[in-house]
Amino acid sequence: TKSSICFICTSTVGRYTCPKCGIAYCSVACYRHERHSACSEAFYRDCCLESLRGETVGTSERRAMAEVLRRRLAQEAEEKLMVDDVIEDEEDDLASRLAGVDLDAVDIDADALWRQLTPSERRRFVRSLETGECADCLPEVTPWWQGPVRDAEKEPPTLSAPDAALVASLRPDPASTTRRLPPPSPLMPLVLLEALLTYAYSMRLSNCDLTDCPDQLITCCQLLWPCAPGSKSSAHASTPTSSAHAPTPTSSAHAPTPTSSAHALTPNSAPAAIAQCPSNAPLPNLDLTVARFLHRLQSNPSQLCYSNSLFLACLHDAIRLLGQDRSLRYPERALADLHSALQVLANKTRYARLATKRLEYLCAWLLAEESSRYQQCCQLVPLLELAVCQYATELMSEKNTID
């Protein structure tokens, strides 16, 4: 009969009856068919709701659960108060232990101070260093090159007495022809850029005080701006010659300008690109120079406390140092500042001696033809701005991928 035929496919005997609408169907496929979807979906929904109503706890169960939660919250609050009391007691105890110590003294004995800490205090201190929490305790210091843009010709950045003497000794005398530089490389603007990036990173790593931790300064400079005698960059580490027969610096107007490569490098492609280049020689374009600086940072993350934000901040610092005003007083002060800090260590480390000679040559090159040097430096600024945009995008996308 018609009632025994499947209502959906109409070709098979309907052995089952839908409990919702009463039609006959032959299989699960027919029951879930589109023609029967309104009834089947409603049936499944009603079954789920009925099952959930059956699992609902009663009033007594809810009260028991609320009591368990209340006791747990009270226990956590009590434990927090106990921890706060312990920390407060430790702080009072630490204050009494350090009552006779002048923490602001320059010659404070760090080892003796460390011995005054308990094992738990030492662990907390090391943990704060590893997580970066200790940075919140340091006073915020703004680098001297930041702030409103000003005309350095009218308001030059201040130099210390030794730095001013250094700059004065390296500034060419128009009336004298006995002091001339060897022919500079057309890549000297990129050597200057590497020096400024190293200086900016060292300043930020030392909280704008290069003399605070000499060992850290030497480590940072050695890793970011190595000076190896006999390498292709050793010419930049030599002192300006004083011979009357020394060749005159080539005019920078005819020197090729370091430009950006055709395809900007990324954090992933940079290591392979710079692997083919000498480790200390100046690179042929700005992209490779910045890529090598980033590669050195990422190769020594623990020693240099590397972070993407710190790297990008240094690129911004280099832009401001190179394009702050229509003079070279800002890079001039940066080179003199780094030279002054390394000069103190020249008698202790060979690197400091080589680096100071290299900085003297670089400063003398910078001051030889200021107007043309300024034009060369200004041409680096838009390329650096493009590099900042490129690396900011790549590093951010890399971070999101990791997250």
Side-chain angles (χ1 to χ4, degrees):
T1 63
K2 185 176 180 180
S3 59
S4 63
I5 300 300
C6 177
F7 181 81
I8 305 299
C9 64
T10 66
S11 61
T12 309
V13 176
R15 293 176 294 176
Y16 310 103
T17 302
C18 174
K20 186 75 174 177
C21 61
I23 67 169
Y25 64 93
C26 64
S27 63
V28 174
C30 286
Y31 182 80
R32 295 177 177 175
H33 193 271
E34 183 180 355
R35 293 176 58 186
H36 191 241
S37 61
C39 183
S40 60
E41 290 177 0
F43 174 72
Y44 287 135
R45 184 177 65 252
D46 293 342
C47 290
C48 290
L49 292 175
E50 184 177 353
S51 176
L52 290 175
R53 282 194 294 269
E55 294 180 0
T56 302
V57 298
T59 304
S60 58
E61 289 84 353
R62 286 199 298 270
R63 288 177 178 174
M65 181 60 67
E67 181 63 22
V68 171
L69 292 176
R70 187 189 64 77
R71 287 199 302 267
R72 179 58 182 167
L73 291 175
Q75 182 181 358
E76 290 179 354
E78 184 177 355
E79 291 175 354
K80 185 177 183 303
L81 288 175
M82 293 176 62
V83 171
D84 292 342
D85 291 340
V86 171
I87 294 177
E88 185 176 352
D89 293 340
E90 288 182 353
E91 291 177 350
D92 294 340
D93 182 46
L94 179 62
S96 62
R97 279 179 275 142
L98 302 179
V101 180
D102 184 8
L103 298 178
D104 296 327
V106 177
D107 56 346
I108 187 172
D109 189 349
D111 293 333
L113 188 62
W114 181 256
R115 288 193 294 269
Q116 293 291 332
L117 302 180
T118 63
S120 62
E121 291 168 343
R122 295 177 185 178
R123 287 193 297 270
R124 285 166 52 194
F125 179 76
V126 172
R127 186 165 57 250
S128 66
L129 289 178
E130 294 174 347
T131 60
E133 294 178 2
C134 61
D136 298 335
C137 303
L138 298 175
E140 185 176 355
V141 180
T142 302
W144 59 265
W145 58 84
Q146 289 188 348
V149 177
R150 58 187 182 182
D151 186 354
E153 293 289 351
K154 298 179 180 178
E155 190 182 356
T158 57
L159 291 173
S160 63
D163 293 346
L166 169 67
V167 172
S169 67
L170 296 177
R171 189 176 295 278
D173 184 4
S176 174
T177 59
T178 61
R179 182 178 182 132
R180 294 181 178 178
L181 292 173
S185 165
L187 301 179
M188 286 298 289
L190 295 179
V191 179
L192 172 64
L193 174 60
E194 279 194 304
L196 294 180
L197 287 172
T198 302
Y199 170 72
Y201 200 93
S202 300
M203 284 284 283
R204 290 188 174 275
L205 203 60
S206 61
N207 206 26
C208 298
D209 185 1
L210 296 181
T211 61
D212 183 56
C213 187
D215 293 339
Q216 184 186 52
L217 174 64
I218 288 293
T219 300
C220 183
C221 291
Q222 279 182 321
L223 294 175
L224 296 180
W225 201 47
C227 300
S231 68
K232 293 185 179 181
S233 63
S234 60
H236 304 300
S238 60
T239 55
T241 61
S242 301
S243 171
H245 304 288
T248 305
T250 57
S251 173
S252 59
H254 304 289
T257 302
T259 57
S260 180
S261 59
H263 302 287
L265 298 173
T266 66
N268 294 327
S269 64
I274 65 177
Q276 308 300 324
C277 304
S279 59
N280 297 326
L283 300 179
N285 57 59
L286 181 137
D287 279 346
L288 284 172
T289 301
V290 175
R292 182 167 66 180
F293 181 75
L294 174 61
H295 179 64
R296 287 169 175 169
L297 288 173
Q298 293 179 333
S299 300
N300 305 277
S302 58
Q303 292 175 286
L304 296 173
C305 302
Y306 167 74
S307 68
N308 293 340
S309 58
L310 195 54
F311 164 68
L312 294 174
C314 285
L315 294 185
H316 283 287
D317 293 338
I319 292 173
R320 292 186 67 86
L321 288 170
L322 290 170
Q324 178 78 290
D325 51 64
R326 298 197 60 80
S327 72
L328 295 173
R329 298 298 181 267
Y330 282 81
E332 175 185 302
R333 172 179 170 176
L335 295 179
D337 196 11
L338 185 58
H339 179 279
S340 178
L342 291 174
Q343 182 67 41
V344 179
L345 307 172
N347 295 329
K348 298 181 180 180
T349 66
R350 187 164 178 257
Y351 171 82
R353 291 192 295 274
L354 292 173
T356 51
K357 296 298 183 182
R358 193 179 187 190
L359 287 167
E360 289 170 8
Y361 182 92
L362 188 56
C363 191
W365 167 84
L366 189 67
L367 301 173
E369 301 175 16
E370 291 193 45
S371 59
S372 56
R373 302 299 188 228
Y374 172 73
Q375 293 176 1
Q376 286 181 295
C377 291
C378 280
Q379 291 176 7
L380 296 178
V381 172
L383 302 179
L384 273 174
E385 292 173 343
L386 289 176
V388 169
C389 296
Q390 174 71 17
Y391 277 99
T393 303
E394 292 291 335
L395 294 173
M396 184 59 67
S397 61
E398 185 181 79
K399 179 179 182 299
N400 292 337
T401 302
I402 295 175
D403 295 341

